[in-house]
Amino acid sequence: MRVLAFDIGGTAVKIGIINEKGEILESGEMPTFSNEGGEALMQRILKTIGEYKNIDRVGISSAGQVDSEEGKIIFASENLPGWTGMEIKKRIEEAYSIPAVVENDVNAAAIGEAYYGAAADEKSFLCLAYGTGIGGAIIEQGKIYRGAFGSAGEFGHIITHVGGKDCSCGGKGCYETYAATSALIRNVKEELGIEEVDGREIFKLLEEGNEKVEKILQTWIFEIMMGLVNFVHIFNPSLIVLGGGIMVQPYIINHIRENLPRYLMPNYKDVKIVRAKLGNNAGILGAAHMVMEA
Ligand SMILES: [Zn+2]
């Protein structure tokens, strides 16, 4: 079987041809051109499908909240204007008469890790992605736990600081306003009085022995851990997969592995903390797996 998979983000769309063993036979990328709107993006995806020969199915991983039963976008932020309401599955099946599956990008990445990556031997685990916000997925026996209305796993919006900082969701004190990569960057900019900095530069400053940066990093990792303490006590997982570009820094995971157990009750301490393994291929691999199973 040959699956054509797309992973749609605000700036780029990753594309891959994947077989039933989870091997990526071809891959590429195209700009999202999100400023052109949702319909233009849908047209480009349909056109791309038409350019590939011998495709059996199409798997789509997309940013935003997804109704995976209907294969449509329930809500997409301003990163993908005009994407809200897009009936992706219907449009693909109408145009090409081949089965399609649409899934939220964090869920798709978690399924990718479950079958081909960091969680390949585990079927019940949590997957968290740290970036501008914090996304999460709950995998129970190899399947996504969706909750009653399809939106379970918004780990970024549990409240870790009562009455704390304003969050993009309208709430106050949400986990992601303290523990997302954007929070680390904001804190470093404020404390050091600099205009621009990225994750790589922050770790360079740490290596150079910058004590202010070390302190900010440790506070930020503590914020990450306090969320994990909540999740571990709720789900009692054997494994937590941490993803997002910043997690390539071993300092973070090493620090969490060393310190997390002291905040956990005895029956929870054996939880393994690992880094996501598939990088930015996780979404296409997960979406491909889901449409092969469908
Ligand atoms: Zn929030």
Side-chain angles (χ1 to χ4, degrees):
M1 190 186 311
R2 278 162 58 91
V3 172
L4 175 58
F6 294 84
D7 186 11
I8 301 164
T11 51
V13 179
K14 182 141 180 86
I15 306 163
I17 302 277
I18 292 153
N19 68 13
E20 62 272 22
K21 291 180 193 156
E23 292 163 339
I24 300 173
L25 307 174
E26 287 174 48
S27 71
E29 203 172 273
M30 61 182 187
T32 308
F33 296 121
S34 58
N35 58 319
E36 292 178 12
E39 181 54 33
L41 175 57
M42 190 69 234
Q43 292 292 346
R44 273 197 302 281
I45 287 166
L46 290 172
K47 184 163 171 278
T48 306
I49 297 169
E51 286 164 1
Y52 283 89
K53 301 278 174 280
N54 307 319
I55 295 303
D56 301 301
R57 297 178 183 195
V58 175
I60 306 266
S61 154
S62 175
Q65 290 172 18
V66 173
D67 178 339
S68 56
E69 296 246 308
E70 298 286 324
K72 70 179 219 185
I73 304 295
I74 302 167
F75 176 77
S77 76
E78 278 313 296
N79 292 331
L80 287 170
W83 201 231
T84 299
M86 190 60 71
E87 296 185 301
I88 304 172
K89 178 181 162 76
K90 195 172 146 199
R91 297 284 296 272
I92 293 170
E93 292 181 350
E94 274 175 5
Y96 295 104
S97 303
I98 51 174
V101 159
V102 185
E103 186 52 75
N104 161 269
D105 54 357
V106 183
N107 284 346
I111 290 291
E113 295 289 348
Y115 287 90
Y116 311 115
D121 296 323
E122 321 259 343
K123 291 292 168 264
S124 299
F125 64 97
L126 306 177
C127 204
L128 284 125
Y130 295 78
T132 312
I134 298 174
I138 304 152
I139 306 296
E140 176 63 20
Q141 297 302 322
K143 299 249 184 284
I144 296 162
Y145 174 79
R146 298 180 187 280
F149 304 105
S151 303
E154 279 287 1
F155 292 141
H157 301 284
I158 67 154
I159 292 168
T160 52
H161 291 250
V162 173
K165 288 186 178 134
D166 290 337
C167 178
S168 62
C169 73
K172 278 181 192 292
C174 293
Y175 181 45
E176 69 177 36
T177 54
Y178 295 87
T181 308
S182 54
L184 170 69
I185 288 171
R186 185 188 61 225
N187 293 344
V188 170
K189 279 189 198 166
E190 278 175 16
E191 293 270 330
L192 271 62
I194 48 179
E195 291 279 316
E196 282 306 323
V197 73
D198 64 20
R200 201 169 295 141
E201 288 158 357
I202 290 172
F203 280 89
K204 198 158 171 284
L205 290 166
L206 176 75
E207 274 169 35
E208 289 165 7
N210 188 312
E211 285 176 12
K212 263 190 182 170
V213 165
E214 187 181 7
K215 199 159 168 269
I216 297 164
L217 264 168
Q218 288 189 355
T219 306
W220 175 69
I221 295 169
F222 181 77
E223 295 285 354
I224 293 178
M225 284 200 297
M226 290 306 104
L228 298 182
V229 168
N230 291 327
F231 308 140
V232 169
H233 284 136
I234 296 168
F235 295 102
N236 194 12
S238 60
L239 178 76
I240 299 182
V241 179
L242 303 181
I246 196 85
M247 292 298 166
V248 302
Q249 302 290 343
Y251 181 89
I252 306 169
I253 291 210
N254 291 343
H255 203 88
I256 294 172
R257 282 181 180 153
E258 200 177 315
N259 295 289
L260 184 67
R262 80 172 73 148
Y263 302 102
L264 300 174
M265 291 195 287
N267 269 342
Y268 301 83
K269 288 182 195 287
D270 288 336
V271 59
K272 291 189 289 278
I273 307 291
V274 298
R275 171 152 55 101
K277 202 169 164 184
L278 302 175
N280 61 5
N281 286 328
I284 54 170
L285 283 166
H289 180 85
M290 294 181 83
V291 74
M292 283 189 261
E293 295 261 290

